[in-house]
Amino acid sequence: MRGAVDEQQPADRSDRPTGNRADVPGATGVRRALTALGLCGVAIAGCTSPEVATTAAPITLSPSAYQNKLRSANIAVAAAFDRFATAGSPQDARAELAQASAVVVEAARLLDVDPPAEVLTVHRDLLAGLRQLAVDLSQRSDQAASMELCAAPSIIASVSNAPGVNSLRAVREAFSSGRGGVSYQWGESLLAPTQFPERRLANGQLLNSLRRTGNGQIRIDNGTEHDAVVKLVQDGESIVSVYVGKGSNTTVDNINDGSYQLYYTSGIDWDDQLKTFTRSCLFKRFGTPVEFTTVPIKGGIKYTTQAVRLQSSTRENAPTTVPAQSFPR
């Protein structure tokens, strides 16, 4: 006999929630979580589209506003050139060129704008030229560190013929030509092309001479590849300085008795005002002092004659490199 089975009645559906799924309890929290994760989109029920940030379109500068920007950048470039215009040593040159490079980078930043449409191409060339100039200055800072460039005259010549300045001169001409109906002023401070100076003194020319009333003599042979200036130094003071051309020799006489430290610098392009060679410079000191004595002998006196040859050597008294700032002027 079959047992009785209770017949299940259909559930009353009147108590089910109605309306949009977003009305389900907790749906708001889910929507917030999905939105925070960036997953909430129109394809996910219960989500609303996240707000999209909008950026205003860049404003194109008017010709007068753009000219003001050019003026500010030109002042910055002029300041960059001024930094190394008086550099008198490789150390000064290295630091000033590095800072000049940073100043030019700032000048390019000042011009990160939307220019008038008629100069858009020239503006891009300007930015490229400034970036190249910053690289050029940084490279010449490295050359100062290696003493390829040693002082302002050769540095100016090098920078004035570098790719950055050459391209910026073309930009200056394009601005002033009035292409598109408007001309602009920029680049007044750019360096003019300058040749590397090649100044030399006469072989044997004395640059300074103090207390030369003795009998001693020193013969100097320059076997290096560049001209040199040789100094006899006593108590940190340069007593005698003489210019000796490459491959030449000279003799200095009337040297007082005493002990002298022997220094020399060699290079290309002697600047008599800065008292240095402006490129390919070296600064050397001999390890052993040179001595001069005078003694009376029958019928006269006996005095010292020294002989020095400037060249790379492994001899006992071979010269060693000294920092430029330690070299007596």
Side-chain angles (χ1 to χ4, degrees):
M1 180 175 177
R2 294 183 179 179
V5 177
D6 293 336
E7 183 177 356
Q8 294 182 356
Q9 298 296 322
D12 185 359
R13 307 180 67 89
S14 63
D15 59 348
R16 293 185 180 181
T18 60
N20 191 289
R21 292 186 184 183
D23 296 329
V24 177
T28 300
V30 172
R31 182 169 63 250
R32 289 174 179 169
L34 291 172
T35 301
L37 292 172
L39 299 176
C40 192
V42 294
I44 301 179
C47 286
T48 57
S49 299
E51 293 184 4
V52 178
T54 59
T55 303
I59 299 175
T60 300
L61 295 181
S62 66
S64 61
Y66 184 59
Q67 179 63 75
N68 288 336
K69 288 288 186 180
L70 291 177
R71 187 175 296 109
S72 297
N74 190 66
I75 292 172
V77 171
F81 291 148
D82 286 344
R83 294 210 66 92
F84 56 83
T86 59
S89 71
Q91 287 74 20
D92 290 345
R94 178 185 182 184
E96 298 297 351
L97 284 162
Q99 293 184 29
S101 178
V103 171
V104 172
V105 170
E106 177 63 16
R109 189 194 66 78
L110 291 172
L111 290 171
D112 187 15
V113 298
D114 286 313
E118 67 271 9
V119 292
L120 179 58
T121 299
V122 181
H123 178 76
R124 290 171 178 167
D125 291 342
L126 172 58
L127 291 179
L130 288 172
R131 295 184 185 112
Q132 181 60 54
L133 176 57
V135 171
D136 294 341
L137 293 171
S138 180
Q139 290 174 342
R140 278 143 188 83
S141 177
D142 293 340
Q143 290 177 330
S146 64
M147 295 195 289
E148 295 174 60
L149 295 173
C150 306
S154 283
I155 294 169
I156 291 171
S158 180
V159 173
S160 73
N161 292 286
V165 173
N166 284 334
S167 64
L168 289 173
R169 290 193 198 100
V171 169
R172 178 177 60 190
E173 293 178 7
F175 273 135
S176 63
S177 67
R179 298 174 189 174
V182 181
S183 63
Y184 295 88
Q185 291 184 341
W186 187 85
E188 299 91 336
S189 61
L190 290 177
L191 298 173
T194 305
Q195 292 186 343
F196 281 104
E198 298 279 352
R199 294 164 291 179
R200 303 178 69 189
L201 300 182
N203 180 60
Q205 181 173 334
L206 291 172
L207 281 72
N208 79 298
S209 177
L210 303 176
R211 302 193 297 273
R212 284 180 58 233
T213 58
N215 299 289
Q217 291 183 335
I218 184 169
R219 175 187 167 93
I220 304 164
D221 287 289
N222 184 359
T224 72
E225 60 181 335
H226 298 307
D227 291 358
V229 170
V230 181
K231 292 177 175 283
L232 292 177
V233 177
Q234 201 170 54
D235 298 326
E237 182 181 23
S238 178
I239 305 302
V240 178
S241 299
V242 61
Y243 195 94
V244 189
K246 62 180 180 179
S248 301
N249 64 76
T250 191
T251 298
V252 180
D253 54 15
N254 301 124
I255 299 173
N256 289 4
D257 288 355
S259 178
Y260 298 82
Q261 193 71 56
L262 188 63
Y263 289 81
Y264 78 89
T265 178
S266 63
I268 301 172
D269 181 47
W270 176 258
D271 189 298
D272 208 29
Q273 182 176 1
L274 296 173
K275 305 300 182 187
T276 189
F277 291 101
T278 68
R279 61 186 183 277
S280 299
C281 57
L282 292 175
F283 302 89
K284 299 280 190 176
R285 181 184 64 194
F286 282 83
T288 304
V290 289
E291 306 282 346
F292 295 89
T293 59
T294 302
V295 295
I297 60 173
K298 186 177 180 179
I301 58 172
K302 180 180 179 181
Y303 57 87
T304 304
T305 298
Q306 296 279 9
V308 176
R309 181 169 177 80
L310 311 181
Q311 63 180 8
S312 299
S313 175
T314 57
R315 293 181 296 108
E316 179 181 352
N317 197 29
T320 58
T321 299
V322 297
Q325 62 267 31
S326 300
F327 189 81
R329 296 294 179 177

